[in-house]
């Protein structure tokens, strides 16, 4: 039994047989995610909506009601009190007060001094304030970076493979991003700039997956020119299955450990990444491969322009 | 496959050793590193404020301020240049709607006036060669000066550079360690101060414009006039905490902050209260002496940022240019004012539009937990690789460890900062590195099992065939890293930097370095089959 083989030799799962079911499921999930995002919305952090958060460490039970009344006396009726990991570390967040660009910063200062004076033994461990102007910019540049990066990736895949692959990869990316966003809409985990980094990481992983599968499809298309698309896709996915399982599992192990032992600040981050691995693996097997069929990728797609390569591949088959 | 030229072997080894060596200083505590001789290179990866604690402030300048003060300055220049011998008589200069207008009394002197105007507007062209002021004459003798867009932008640029200087000086005076003050965009300044204890004091210090003026108090104005705001044209009403809220002073300043050479916190020799001792330069001293001689017995106001701090009576002429500012200071506030005055006046008002302060203890907690999780995670990963790929798992593991150190080493060369999103990039890179080796190992398995190749050929084809997928996967990540770096802000950039470095090192360690190890083993043992 050594070395360990998680995927038995000669595995042959007819993945594409379930492609319609999988696609319906995917589309349902995407629609549900978008609907959730629209209806429920995100728990957007102050990075994107502006406002201020003051983090306080209490050396006793957190006097939540007292904090609320203190904040109300400062004019903040609507405060959110979040726990940061331990029950003694909390974040007091209020929305952007009226009064121009620097209002958030002024309010944070006021909150800070009120807490330091009003609760002996409480330590302010962090202050964050973002004005509406800055939060708008952060939102805009974040969205732009995400969008342009996706298009850039799709273009590269189009040039280096075929246009169907580019579209397929783009759709798979869209699928992953939509579902991750849906996850954030459901859980209402705080959505801040660090989460954007997490989404970028998910995109990176999922893309890796997709490209590995695509690369094998391309290789097999050159090798088995007469093979029908469905068995060819099945073969390619099965051939890369062992790799998919080992890679996803190793990353999954590390992420699980980070989730359990790691600092609270990265909890949302690791949780979404773990989910992203599952979504990404699913999308690269089902969505990105199946979509090639719908886009009518033909067995001879690589023949003409890759004639030279095809020669090389056949000759390599000789012992 | 087996014949790695000798130079290549050495190149790989040297690269790895150098990168790992470069990562070492980052693990050595600061106080130990300071004892090292200075010729030892000490590149370090600094921890971002979100990990190490500290303050991040984004300040924004009100650009309308710059436009207004520029017009004010121009009014003064015009007035003085026209007064020069032979005098060109002009009417009142009005500043309205962002432009400056005045009338030349004698229409025959319009040309002479224009000559002089060109002197102060710098012949109408600025540094960039574009016009800075539009000068036009209407109704044969009325001049209209309007700043051009290019001129305004240039002025804002200059003001921002000066402001950055002043802010740096103030923070340095504040005694903080390794502050980082950079301009961002057209009208922003970003201040990063690691390990700051009291961001409030820093913000107050930065927020002070520190415009110092001495003006004579206009004693002819009655309290009723002050109340109604109806004061003579040459006077203005300013707030004055001590003396009943408001006070009227003459508009013309006798002393301004630019005549200052020094400012120190000190104690009043009589009652020991804290105050600020200031020293004026030659021009300031002479003028101060003259004004105090002429106005003995009258009060003058000491004004900072349009607030009257105190308004003492002039008992005797003040010679030598030394003066004190009193008025309800604490030692801290006096010291703050002294620092602000010493570092010069901010040319623009700066507002804090973004603040992120993380206490050092919070960061420390995150790091210790992160390190623990990282170590356990790595061990688990190594164990998993070993039971899955046996010998090749060892190579994979070695590649991963070397990769991690190389990323740190290269980041140290660029003096990059590791932030939380940077760690995300790190995780992604390690993931990609694992994947690269899994791809290779799986391919070797496949070549051996499915295509019945011998050990050597399996390894050779394994590397060759897997390389394409690895290459394509990494190129796409490079593309996104570059785009994110170009477009994204703060955290996204931190992510992109680590990703870009990590991609290069993971391909190097995952493909080249492991190939070297495998080739060495194959050469020594010549196995028939590979257990993988």
């Amino acid at each position: 039994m050594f070395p360990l083989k998680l995927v038995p030799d000669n595995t042959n799962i007819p993945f594409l047989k379930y492609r319609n079911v999988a696609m319906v499921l995917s589309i349902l999930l995407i629609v549900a995610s978008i609907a959730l995002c629209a209806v429920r919305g995100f728990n957007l952090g102050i990075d994107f909506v502006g406002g201020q958060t003051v983090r306080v460490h209490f050396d006793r039970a957190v006097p939540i009601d007292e904090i609320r009344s203190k904040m109300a006396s400062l004019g903040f009726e609507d405060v959110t009190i979040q726990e940061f990991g331990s029950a003694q570390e909390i974040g007091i967040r209020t929305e952007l007060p009226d009064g121009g660009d620097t209002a958030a910063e002024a309010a944070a200062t006021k909150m800070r001094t009120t807490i330091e004076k009003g609760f002996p033994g409480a330590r302010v461990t962090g202050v964050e304030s973002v004005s509406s102007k800055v939060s708008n910019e952060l939102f805009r540049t974040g969205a732009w970076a995400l969008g342009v990066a996706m298009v850039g990736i799709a273009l590269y895949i189009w040039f280096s493979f075929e246009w169907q692959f580019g579209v397929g990869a783009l759709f798979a990316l869209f699928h992953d991003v939509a579902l991750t966003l849906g996850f954030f809409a459901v859980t209402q985990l705080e959505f801040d700039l660090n989460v954007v980094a997490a989404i970028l990481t998910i995109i990176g992983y999922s893309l890796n997956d997709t490209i590995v599968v695509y690369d094998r499809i391309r290789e097999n298309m050159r090798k088995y020119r007469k093979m029908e698309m469905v068995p060819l896709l099945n073969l390619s996915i099965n051939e890369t299955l062992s790799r998919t399982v080992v890679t996803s599992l190793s990353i999954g192990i590390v992420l699980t450990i980070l989730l359990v032992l790691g600092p609270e600040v990265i909890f949302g981050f690791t949780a979404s990444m773990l989910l992203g691995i599952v979504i990404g693996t699913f999308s690269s097997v089902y969505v990105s491969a199946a979509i090639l069929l719908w886009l009518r990728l033909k067995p001879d797609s690589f023949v003409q322009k890759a004639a030279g390569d095809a020669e090389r591949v056949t000759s390599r088959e000789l012992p | 496959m087996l014949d790695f030229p000798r130079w290549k072997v050495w190149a790989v080894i040297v690269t790895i050793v150098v990168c790992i060596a470069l990562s070492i200083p980052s693990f050595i505590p600061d106080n130990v590193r300071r004892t090292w001789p200075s010729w030892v290179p000490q590149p370090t990866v600094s921890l971002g404020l979100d990990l190490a604690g500290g303050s991040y402030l984004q300040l924004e300048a009100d650009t309308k301020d710059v436009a207004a003060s520029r017009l004010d300055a121009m009014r003064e220049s015009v007035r003085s240049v026209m007064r020069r011998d032979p005098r060109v008589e002009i009417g009142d200069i009005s500043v309205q709607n962002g432009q400056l207008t005045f009338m030349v009394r004698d229409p025959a002197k319009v040309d002479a006036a224009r000559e002089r105007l060109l002197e102060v507007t710098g012949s109408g062209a600025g540094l960039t060669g574009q016009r800075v002021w539009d000068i036009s004459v209407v109704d044969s003798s009325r001049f209209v000066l309007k700043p051009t867009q290019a001129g305004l932008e240039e002025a804002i640029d200059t003001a921002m550079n000066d402001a950055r200087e002043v802010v740096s000086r103030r923070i340095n005076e504040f005694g903080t360690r390794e502050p980082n003050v950079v301009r961002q965009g057209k009208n922003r300044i970003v201040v990063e101060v690691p390990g700051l204890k009291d961001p409030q004091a820093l913000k107050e210090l930065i927020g002070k414009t520190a415009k110092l003026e001495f003006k004579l108090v206009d004693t002819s104005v009655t309290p009723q006039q002050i109340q109604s705001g109806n004061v003579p044209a040459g006077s203005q009403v300013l707030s004055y905490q001590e003396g009943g809220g408001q006070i009227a002073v003459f508009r013309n300043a006798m002393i301004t902050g630019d005549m200052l050479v020094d400012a120190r916190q000190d104690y009043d020799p009589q009652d020991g209260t804290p105050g600020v001792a200031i020293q004026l330069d030659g021009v300031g001293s002479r003028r101060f002496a003259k004004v105090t001689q002429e106005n003995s017995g009258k009060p003058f106001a000491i004004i900072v940022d349009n607030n009257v701090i105190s308004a003492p009576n002039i008992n005797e002429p003040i010679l030598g240019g030394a003066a004190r500012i009193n008025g309800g200071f604490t030692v801290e506030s006096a010291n703050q004012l002294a620092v602000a005055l010493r570092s010069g006046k901010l040319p623009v008002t700066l507002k804090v539009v973004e603040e992120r302060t993380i206490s050092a203890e919070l960061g420390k907690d995150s790091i210790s937990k992160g390190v623990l999780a990282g170590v356990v995670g790595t061990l688990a990963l190594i164990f998993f690789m070993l039971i899955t790929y046996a010998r090749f798992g060892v190579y994979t593991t070695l590649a991963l460890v070397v990769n991690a150190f190389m990323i740190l080493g290269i980041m140290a060369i660029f003096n990059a900062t590791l932030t939380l999103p940077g760690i995300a990039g790190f995780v992604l890179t390690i993931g990609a590195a694992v994947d690269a080796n899994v791809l290779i190992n799986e391919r070797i398995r496949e070549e051996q099992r499915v295509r019945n190749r011998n050990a050597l050929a399996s390894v050779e084809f394994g590397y060759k065939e897997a390389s394409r997928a690895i290459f394509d996967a990494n190129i796409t990540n490079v593309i996104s890293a570059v785009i994110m770096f170009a477009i994204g802000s703060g955290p996204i950039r931190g992510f992109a930097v680590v990703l870009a470095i990590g991609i290069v090192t993971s391909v190097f360690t995952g493909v080249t370095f492991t190939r070297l190890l495998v080739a060495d083993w194959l050469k020594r043992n010549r196995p028939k089959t590979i257990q993988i």
Side-chain angles (χ1 to χ4, degrees), chain B residues 2-125:
Chain B
L2 293 187
D3 30 274
F4 257 97
R6 191 162 283 272
W7 67 268
K8 239 184 197 170
V9 176
W10 281 108
V12 171
I13 293 174
V14 167
T15 310
I16 289 173
V17 170
V18 167
C19 286
I20 292 179
L22 286 170
S23 73
I24 292 172
S26 302
F27 293 100
I28 312 280
D30 261 1
N31 45 5
V32 177
R33 231 170 350 97
R34 255 181 240 123
T35 62
W36 290 7
S38 56
W39 51 264
V40 177
Q42 303 177 12
T44 45
V45 177
S46 37
L47 289 176
L49 298 177
D50 53 349
L51 296 175
S55 268
Y56 168 101
L57 299 174
Q58 182 158 196
L59 310 163
E60 190 181 76
D62 191 351
T63 46
K64 273 186 252 138
D65 251 23
V66 179
S69 68
R70 209 157 153 263
L71 281 172
D72 277 345
M74 184 49 74
R75 173 166 59 185
E76 290 310 309
S77 310
V78 169
R79 194 173 278 153
S80 69
V81 81
M82 296 301 171
R83 213 178 274 155
R84 213 174 53 200
D85 229 28
R87 205 175 167 119
V88 176
E89 292 288 344
I90 57 170
D92 274 346
I93 304 175
S94 89
V95 175
Q96 246 170 5
N97 305 328
Q99 59 184 33
L100 197 133
T101 37
F102 63 91
M103 215 184 74
V104 178
R105 292 196 196 279
D106 181 0
K109 284 192 175 165
V110 165
D111 281 341
R114 177 189 284 277
E115 283 292 308
R116 292 196 187 179
L117 262 187
L118 287 180
E119 278 174 40
V120 288
T121 56
S123 68

Side-chain angles (χ1 to χ4, degrees), chain B residues 242-293:
Chain B
E242 285 182 12
Q246 285 184 312
I247 194 169
V249 297
F250 289 107
R251 272 184 198 277
N252 282 343
M254 51 179 182
I255 300 288
T256 53
D258 51 345
M259 300 171 187
L260 214 67
V261 286
D262 196 17
R264 301 265 158 216
Q265 185 264 318
D266 77 343
Y267 298 95
D268 191 290
Q270 262 109 58
D271 56 13
T273 53
V276 179
I278 58 172
Q279 178 62 46
L280 301 170
D281 64 4
V283 178
S285 304
R286 277 194 295 281
R287 191 182 295 182
F288 200 36
K290 188 169 169 246
V291 177
T292 48
Q293 250 161 9

Side-chain angles (χ1 to χ4, degrees), chain A residues 125 127-129 156 219 243, chain B residues 356-357 359 435 443 472:
Chain A
T125 54
V127 176
E128 284 184 274
S129 75
Y156 170 76
E219 187 185 327
R243 168 262 157 203
Chain B
R356 292 171 198 271
T357 300
S359 78
D435 192 44
R443 196 67 192 225
D472 275 327

Side-chain angles (χ1 to χ4, degrees), chain B residues 100-294:
Chain B
L100 197 133
T101 37
F102 63 91
M103 215 184 74
V104 178
R105 292 196 196 279
D106 181 0
K109 284 192 175 165
V110 165
D111 281 341
R114 177 189 284 277
E115 283 292 308
R116 292 196 187 179
L117 262 187
L118 287 180
E119 278 174 40
V120 288
T121 56
S123 68
L127 290 172
T128 48
Q130 280 167 300
R131 292 185 64 79
V132 176
W133 293 88
D134 277 335
I135 304 171
S136 52
V137 184
V138 291
D139 305 337
S140 76
S141 66
R142 183 171 290 278
F143 275 87
V144 178
L145 262 75
K146 204 176 175 179
T148 62
Q149 192 57 36
L152 205 54
E153 271 166 27
E154 201 181 294
I156 289 169
D157 192 57
T158 314
M160 289 308 292
N161 281 334
D162 292 349
R164 198 201 71 82
E165 267 301 307
V166 172
V167 169
S168 312
R169 257 191 312 227
R170 286 189 191 176
I171 295 176
N172 283 329
E173 290 262 11
F174 204 60
T176 42
R177 193 165 52 97
E178 297 165 48
N180 187 16
V181 184
V182 288
R183 268 192 69 182
Q184 187 157 304
K186 267 189 181 156
N187 61 339
R188 301 250 175 98
I189 292 173
V190 165
V191 176
E192 287 178 308
V193 192
L196 186 68
K197 285 268 159 30
D198 186 6
Q200 198 46 43
L202 176 72
K203 278 192 290 183
E204 272 167 24
L205 184 59
I206 293 173
K208 272 209 175 69
T209 310
K211 185 169 131 204
L212 174 76
E213 290 161 311
F214 287 5
K215 291 179 176 178
L216 285 169
V217 176
D218 187 353
T219 44
S220 68
V221 177
T222 62
Q224 286 78 14
Q225 279 176 307
I226 292 176
Q227 200 120 57
S228 62
N230 190 15
V231 291
S235 298
Q236 65 188 133
V237 176
L238 295 177
S239 70
Y240 179 31
Q241 283 293 310
E242 285 182 12
Q246 285 184 312
I247 194 169
V249 297
F250 289 107
R251 272 184 198 277
N252 282 343
M254 51 179 182
I255 300 288
T256 53
D258 51 345
M259 300 171 187
L260 214 67
V261 286
D262 196 17
R264 301 265 158 216
Q265 185 264 318
D266 77 343
Y267 298 95
D268 191 290
Q270 262 109 58
D271 56 13
T273 53
V276 179
I278 58 172
Q279 178 62 46
L280 301 170
D281 64 4
V283 178
S285 304
R286 277 194 295 281
R287 191 182 295 182
F288 200 36
K290 188 169 169 246
V291 177
T292 48
Q293 250 161 9
E294 288 166 0

